[in-house]
Amino acid sequence: MERVDYDKYLRTSRIPHIWCPGCGHGIAMKSILRAVDHAGWTKENTVWVSGIGCSGRITGYVDFNTLHTTHGRAIAFATGIKLANPKLNVVVVTGDGDGTAIGGNHLIHAARRNLDITVVLLNNNIYGMTGGQCSPTTPQGAKATTAPYGNMERPFDIAGVVAACGGNFVARGTVYHVNELEKLMRQAFLKHGFSFIEVMSPCPTAFGRRNKMKNAIVMMEDLKERSVSVKKAKDLTDEEREDKIVNGVLLDRDKAEYTDLYRQLIEQLRGS
Amino acid sequence: MGTEDKSVPRLLTGNEAVALAAIEAGARFFAGYPITPSSEIAETLSRELPKVGGVFIQMEDEIAAMSAIIGASLAGARTLTATSGPGFSLKQEAIGYACETEVPCVVVNVMRGGPSTGMPTLPAQGDVMQAKWGTHGDHPAIVLCPERIDDAWELTIRAFNIAEKFRTPVILLLDEIVGHLTEKLVLPLKKQPKLFDLPQNVSKEGYLPYRFDGEYPPPLIPVGQGVPYHVTGLLHDETGFPTNDPDLAERNARWLVDKVENHKDELADVELDEVDGCDILVFAYGGCARSARGAVRMAREKGLKVGLFKPRTLWPFPEKELQEAAKTAKRVVVAEMNLGQMAHEVEWALGRSIPVELHSKLGGEPILPTEILATIEGRD
């Protein structure tokens, strides 16, 4: 791994962060910073936008233009920023509750528009900050404070949903597989057009404790054991794939990007 | 009709006037969602904005539209959105965010009948209180309300000026009557508003985006101009970072309201018609003011001494101006298409010293001049 001067990118005075011991979000933040560094983005030309929840707090810690917005709406705010100034690099960090429940509509439409922003969704399968309520990615049967008898609903395959909606790049990784995650992040950040990366991130405090995974190590091992590559997953039956984490690139293409199309429209109208 | 031939008299609807005046005011970003009776604003801007290098986007919902204009404003664009009652309800979440983060923007609400889906193509004035108290928590409210097309043009430009100077969302409250009414517009207006020039050369050194101690907020340096700072909907200190310090949090919350309330005189904007020495004062705004003018004229023809008070700024409420205008009045008649949202405010402003009679009408039909006349004459 290349050496990266993380302090350059961090608001060290805002740290220690609020994430619990064993939370995967810090690893994800490091991975994002490495990708930003690799892409050559600077604190002047990069905007980070987050919503509400544990993932939302990331914008307080990174020393860039940062927006900590309302619950679920980070992508909508980011859309305004990018369209008003397409030269800015825009990163959205969201979570499974923020990004797929209250913010699900914004996610699928941003993918459909193929706006050149990068959305990193930290999926810990639970509402962590509010104390462990069920989220749209909580596995069926898992316990949560609002699912004391076990969750009856089937979880979202988020990356699959986004890939079906549009965009140019969709991938999934885990904070256990840090080297692979970094590769995926680099691809996502360099991709022109809408790029989306789902990062599986353990929450021992609000999810693990109630679901027979007593600590962070057990949760990390769980990520390792359940992971399969996109390639291998193709050979599995639906039943075999049910509780697997399918990692890798799910979508990679180069469809026309939204701000480019809009710029062309302006040039066409003003030229005539 | 376009943005080029400015001096030629034009026939415009209120909605078209708002859209074109927004471009005149320098607005270069609109995000919206289709809703009657405001859609012509979005339609006009989808056609006109790209011609001037601006951006129009139809978002997936009302909340997204409101959020997008806040983002665009932070990135340096003058921005607006337009909606009607049900959409205005949805936008409240993000309007609160714009208040707390002190991001300028203009929100047009072309009122229709309510509550809920209400009466989409028919007029009402039921959102007057929502425009002030719609989002949760204590927050500032600046609400402008036009009666005519020239009014709509002028107040749109004024809305952008105020939004930038006070760094807060400004609500432009039309009703369906004004939004869909076609009238002649001749530019320049007699009272052509000048565009507010942002102070130049804002020092980037030690920039505090959220100073609480000035007369007005410091100008916003857009993101991407070399001064990275943090923006949050949490109560924050002057740097923008969240705080749990009770004193700082209270100062932040008070500042948002005080910066507006301390400039009530500057924001007050009323049209007066023969209020000096009047026996009866009629209070009306928006589309209702048109009927009130007719009623007042008819009453004067009958020898009654009637004055008209038309607020163009609804919030902050122009109580001082009202008290002055009602000095000699023995009665005040309020005409509005709701159940008395402003009448209560009028009563309060006058300290219940003068009887206030409400002529209200729901159901989607405008109040007729003869109906207001009946109330003026005490016949209803």
Side-chain angles (χ1 to χ4, degrees):
Chain A
M1 274 186 149
E2 289 163 34
R3 280 186 65 86
V4 169
D5 177 10
Y6 299 105
D7 280 1
K8 186 169 85 175
Y9 296 123
L10 290 172
R11 289 169 172 146
T12 48
S13 64
R14 310 304 304 179
I15 288 170
H17 56 66
I18 61 152
W19 296 318
C20 305
C23 172
H25 286 17
I27 300 170
M29 179 167 82
K30 176 176 172 178
S31 184
I32 301 170
L33 286 173
R34 292 182 66 86
V36 166
D37 186 77
H38 178 257
W41 296 0
T42 67
K43 54 178 73 178
E44 282 77 27
N45 67 21
T46 306
V47 188
W48 294 52
V49 189
S50 67
I52 297 295
C54 296
S55 66
R57 291 306 177 109
I58 202 165
T59 46
Y61 307 134
V62 294
D63 195 11
F64 291 78
N65 303 281
T66 50
L67 260 79
H68 176 228
T69 68
T70 51
H71 196 19
R73 319 297 176 206
I75 292 173
F77 283 88
T79 300
I81 293 168
K82 185 70 185 180
L83 283 170
N85 185 356
K87 286 182 192 144
L88 291 169
N89 304 302
V90 181
V91 188
V92 173
V93 183
T94 180
D96 45 310
D98 192 53
T100 75
I102 191 164
N105 202 27
H106 311 307
L107 176 61
I108 63 178
H109 287 279
R112 179 179 64 80
R113 280 187 196 107
N114 201 22
L115 185 73
D116 183 28
I117 60 175
T118 302
V119 176
V120 181
L121 189 146
L122 309 183
N123 182 2
N124 58 10
N125 307 108
I126 203 81
Y127 282 84
M129 184 162 281
T130 43
Q133 295 80 15
C134 207
S135 95
T137 66
T138 302
Q140 202 166 27
K143 289 193 173 163
T145 58
T146 49
Y149 310 113
N151 177 30
M152 282 184 277
E153 300 175 14
R154 287 178 59 79
F156 257 137
D157 163 8
I158 308 174
V161 168
V162 177
C165 291
N168 274 351
F169 184 84
V170 176
R172 185 188 287 112
T174 88
V175 298
Y176 176 83
H177 307 85
V178 280
N179 290 329
E180 192 194 347
L181 182 64
E182 180 168 345
K183 276 186 210 152
L184 296 171
M185 285 275 186
R186 284 181 173 195
Q187 283 176 271
F189 278 73
L190 292 175
K191 173 61 76 173
H192 188 56
F194 185 82
S195 56
F196 178 83
I197 180 160
E198 177 184 356
V199 182
M200 303 306 296
S201 174
C203 177
T205 304
F207 184 84
R209 279 191 304 156
R210 295 190 182 89
N211 289 286
K212 299 185 180 143
M213 290 185 279
K214 285 205 163 70
N215 57 48
I217 295 165
V218 179
M219 293 203 78
M220 280 292 199
E221 281 170 350
D222 177 65
L223 285 181
K224 178 187 169 190
E225 280 158 20
R226 288 199 293 127
S227 286
V228 293
S229 68
V230 171
K231 204 175 152 195
K232 275 189 188 154
K234 281 182 183 146
D235 299 330
L236 300 178
T237 63
D238 284 354
E239 208 164 58
E240 287 168 328
R241 209 164 29 223
E242 188 84 337
D243 67 339
K244 293 286 185 288
I245 301 167
V246 180
N247 289 326
V249 177
L250 283 89
L251 180 75
D252 187 0
R253 60 185 183 187
D254 294 293
K255 296 270 186 198
E257 190 272 329
Y258 190 90
T259 59
D260 290 342
L261 293 173
Y262 210 95
R263 195 187 58 237
Q264 285 162 20
L265 170 69
I266 289 173
E267 284 166 4
Q268 181 196 328
L269 287 170
R270 304 196 92 179
S272 60
Chain B
M1 181 199 62
T3 48
E4 306 82 15
D5 46 355
K6 282 174 194 156
S7 61
V8 180
R10 279 178 284 182
L11 277 177
L12 292 179
T13 64
N15 283 345
E16 288 167 337
V18 167
L20 297 179
I23 291 180
E24 185 79 9
R28 290 295 178 269
F29 187 92
F30 176 96
Y33 186 83
I35 186 164
T36 305
S38 77
S39 296
E40 297 84 3
I41 296 175
E43 288 166 351
T44 305
L45 288 169
S46 72
R47 187 185 65 229
E48 298 298 329
L49 269 175
K51 292 184 192 168
V52 293
V55 175
F56 165 91
I57 186 166
Q58 183 171 318
M59 294 297 284
E60 55 274 13
D61 61 38
E62 297 276 6
I63 303 169
M66 188 65 215
S67 303
I69 69 164
I70 297 169
S73 187
L74 278 164
R78 273 195 183 140
T79 66
L80 78 158
T81 184
T83 188
S84 184
F88 194 52
S89 296
L90 289 167
K91 289 192 191 300
Q92 295 300 334
E93 164 194 310
I95 290 173
Y97 184 83
C99 292
E100 174 59 32
T101 56
E102 300 190 62
V103 175
C105 53
V106 172
V107 181
V108 187
N109 173 11
V110 187
M111 290 182 284
R112 67 194 215 182
S116 189
T117 310
M119 305 180 89
T121 61
L122 298 172
Q125 295 178 314
D127 305 349
V128 169
M129 276 294 169
Q130 193 192 12
K132 179 166 171 61
W133 294 118
T135 193
H136 56 275
D138 289 295
H139 57 272
I142 302 175
V143 181
L144 314 184
C145 180
E147 169 200 356
R148 302 176 304 268
I149 302 316
D150 62 332
D151 240 7
W153 184 278
E154 185 190 339
L155 289 185
T156 301
I157 294 173
R158 186 164 153 79
F160 281 99
N161 283 342
I162 294 171
E164 298 234 339
K165 189 171 185 183
F166 289 82
R167 268 181 59 186
T168 196
V170 173
I171 313 292
L172 190 60
L173 203 59
L174 278 69
D175 46 61
E176 191 274 344
I177 296 174
V178 180
H180 281 167
L181 177 88
T182 302
E183 266 183 336
K184 187 168 78 170
L185 181 75
V186 184
L187 295 177
L189 302 175
K190 279 179 213 148
K191 282 197 329 190
Q192 180 71 18
K194 273 198 259 167
L195 277 180
F196 173 63
D197 289 321
L198 279 175
Q200 298 298 308
N201 305 320
V202 182
S203 175
K204 292 181 179 178
E205 198 68 36
Y207 177 64
L208 284 173
Y210 292 103
R211 277 183 69 166
F212 307 145
D213 59 354
E215 198 184 346
Y216 298 98
L220 195 68
I221 297 180
V223 297
Q225 293 195 3
V227 193
Y229 54 87
H230 188 54
V231 179
T232 177
L234 293 163
L235 290 186
H236 48 256
D237 60 23
E238 291 183 307
T239 64
F241 283 100
T243 180
N244 283 327
D245 177 312
D247 293 331
L248 268 176
E250 178 154 355
R251 279 183 65 202
N252 176 209
R254 281 189 185 277
W255 157 252
L256 299 177
V257 175
D258 288 348
K259 73 178 175 184
V260 171
E261 295 294 319
N262 289 344
H263 294 96
K264 269 176 130 167
D265 291 348
E266 177 186 339
L267 292 165
D269 182 9
V270 301
E271 274 181 18
L272 305 174
D273 181 13
E274 294 188 31
V275 297
D276 286 345
C278 69
D279 291 329
I280 302 165
L281 184 70
V282 176
F283 180 106
Y285 53 93
C288 262
R290 305 176 70 92
S291 297
R293 285 185 195 282
V296 165
R297 198 181 59 239
M298 288 187 277
R300 285 177 194 153
E301 282 164 8
K302 292 185 174 198
L304 296 171
K305 289 182 78 177
V306 185
L308 176 70
F309 185 95
K310 186 195 88 168
R312 301 207 306 171
T313 298
L314 298 187
W315 306 110
F317 188 79
E319 70 235 34
K320 224 163 69 184
E321 289 71 17
L322 179 64
Q323 285 157 3
E324 180 65 25
K327 248 183 352 201
T328 60
K330 296 174 188 71
R331 291 165 62 218
V332 175
V333 171
V334 179
E336 55 185 340
M337 289 182 286
N338 59 51
L339 292 177
Q341 297 189 18
M342 269 283 152
H344 293 299
E345 204 67 22
V346 170
E347 252 184 337
W348 164 82
L350 297 177
R352 294 175 184 261
S353 56
I354 311 168
V356 174
E357 289 159 57
L358 168 67
H359 188 107
S360 81
K361 193 170 182 180
L362 304 176
E365 297 230 308
I367 305 179
L368 300 176
T370 47
E371 293 170 339
I372 300 173
L373 179 67
T375 306
I376 292 172
E377 292 181 315
R379 288 190 282 113
D380 64 344

